[in-house]
Amino acid sequence: MEIVILDGSGANPGDLSWAPFEAIGHVTVYPRTDPADTLARIGDAEIVITNKTILDADIIGKAPRLQYIGITATGYNVVDLDAARRRGIPVCNVPAYSTDAVAQHVFALLLEITNMVGHHSQAVHEGRWVTSPSFCFWDAPLTELSGKTLGIIGFGSIGHAVAKVAEAFGMRVLACSRTPKPGLVPMEQVLRESDIISLHCPLFAENRGMINRDTIAQMKDGVILLNTARGPLINEQDLADALRSGKVRAAGVDVISQEPMAADCPLLDAPNCIITPHIAWAPCETRQRLLDIAAGNIRAFLDGNTVNDVTR
């Protein structure tokens, strides 16, 4: 069984083992693959694994022995599902592997905004505590989370995990979702009443740019905005403008509309904006879980019991 991994460096830059895949068949791992090389690298492989490398209808139609497509991610927009269905090829993703890690990162961003740990540590190392006339000092607002309202837009597994942590901090939680569920509220209420808003919804055509000038205007003055979901959910110029005006007190984002980030991204020089380079999912333990589940998906397929098939 020939297995080709088209862009292995994303999930495994070298600190993990490909042994779960090597136990299944002969594995060829490419760190990353340019579009012009994709078809040639697939060759006669029966199993292809991708993370961000696009498998469009042309490639799927021309891969002679392709039987299975695995995605080392939850999102599957890089694969033409209709083309895979026409050939009867399952496309299997890895859902919910990063739930706890992403929830942890949400609060890493939020606590950096509310407690300014990095800023004050730098001030101490610059000697400002040494020269302080007081036993303590701070030069930026510090905020207690207890009693604040956290609005969650998108209430899947990660949204639920974030809500659980927020409740442990003594926060009130409001949540909305495109799928009606008991206990959820309209998005307008989340925008209107939340002190902090965290995005946890998939990206669809209808919610692209959902955080924009109009929806920001519905938010509280001084709201904090967090995004660990998908960059294009936010109109970045509108958010940058709101940060400059103070309408949005601060933002913490782990995703950007173009990744790697473009040099002219409006958020890059916006005030009070913390940006991390799409790492919420990337702890070693989380990536090991991702690889283990992805290999398990292949074994299930070979056993005739395909799981996590997004073409169904």
Side-chain angles (χ1 to χ4, degrees):
M1 184 65 62
E2 287 292 327
I3 303 172
V4 171
I5 299 172
L6 292 171
D7 46 9
S9 65
N12 180 13
D15 57 343
L16 300 175
S17 170
W18 293 109
F21 295 84
E22 292 166 348
I24 299 170
H26 178 263
V27 178
T28 302
V29 180
Y30 297 100
R32 57 188 56 82
T33 295
D34 291 331
D37 299 327
T38 302
L39 190 58
R41 288 184 172 182
I42 292 173
D44 290 328
E46 293 98 343
I47 294 173
V48 171
I49 306 298
T50 183
N51 182 293
K52 294 292 185 288
T53 302
I54 293 174
L55 300 179
D56 59 20
D58 184 61
I59 289 171
I60 292 171
K62 291 178 178 177
R65 299 184 63 192
L66 184 60
Q67 299 176 23
Y68 174 95
I69 296 172
I71 304 175
T72 51
T74 301
Y76 44 84
N77 59 301
V78 297
V79 178
D80 188 318
L81 299 185
D82 289 335
R85 289 188 190 99
R86 286 194 293 271
R87 284 197 54 186
I89 297 171
V91 178
C92 299
N93 72 336
V94 183
Y97 73 94
S98 63
T99 297
D100 292 335
V102 175
Q104 176 179 319
H105 198 81
V106 168
F107 282 89
L109 293 170
L110 179 56
L111 291 170
E112 180 58 32
I113 290 168
T114 59
N115 290 62
M116 304 289 286
V117 171
H119 167 81
H120 285 101
S121 175
Q122 182 178 348
V124 169
H125 285 284
E126 290 171 351
R128 294 179 59 195
W129 198 14
V130 173
T131 59
S132 173
S134 177
F135 74 96
C136 68
F137 83 94
W138 63 92
D139 62 358
L142 305 176
T143 302
E144 185 175 283
L145 291 178
S146 181
K148 298 294 188 295
T149 297
L150 174 67
I152 299 174
I153 300 178
F155 207 52
S157 61
I158 296 175
H160 277 86
V162 169
K164 184 177 178 181
V165 178
E167 288 166 354
F169 273 104
M171 303 179 76
R172 173 193 182 216
V173 174
L174 294 175
C176 65
S177 174
R178 67 195 294 265
T179 304
K181 299 174 185 175
L184 301 188
V185 302
M187 181 173 168
E188 292 76 14
Q189 185 178 351
V190 171
L191 297 176
R192 184 176 65 250
E193 297 184 16
S194 299
D195 301 296
I196 300 139
I197 295 175
S198 191
L199 306 183
H200 296 290
C201 45
L203 178 66
F204 299 105
E206 58 266 30
N207 66 8
R208 182 177 290 269
M210 65 185 293
I211 302 302
N212 54 47
R213 186 181 308 275
D214 294 335
T215 51
I216 291 171
Q218 299 176 51
M219 299 177 190
K220 285 186 175 182
D221 292 344
V223 68
I224 295 171
L225 181 65
L226 307 171
N227 187 14
T228 54
R230 290 291 182 263
L233 294 170
I234 294 176
N235 181 308
E236 292 168 349
Q237 185 60 62
D238 288 355
L239 175 56
D241 292 342
L243 286 163
R244 289 192 176 88
S245 73
K247 173 67 178 182
V248 175
R249 169 185 159 184
V253 301
D254 185 54
V255 287
I256 295 294
S257 60
Q258 178 181 326
E259 296 175 351
M261 175 187 277
D264 61 352
C265 175
L267 296 181
L268 195 55
D269 59 357
N272 303 318
C273 186
I274 296 173
I275 305 171
T276 53
H278 205 145
I279 56 172
W281 69 285
C284 184
E285 300 89 342
T286 312
R287 290 182 290 108
Q288 183 64 65
R289 185 181 307 116
L290 170 67
L291 295 184
D292 289 345
I293 295 172
N297 285 348
I298 298 174
R299 290 194 298 272
F301 163 71
L302 295 175
D303 290 341
N305 186 31
T306 303
V307 296
N308 299 321
D309 182 0
V310 296
T311 66
R312 292 177 176 173

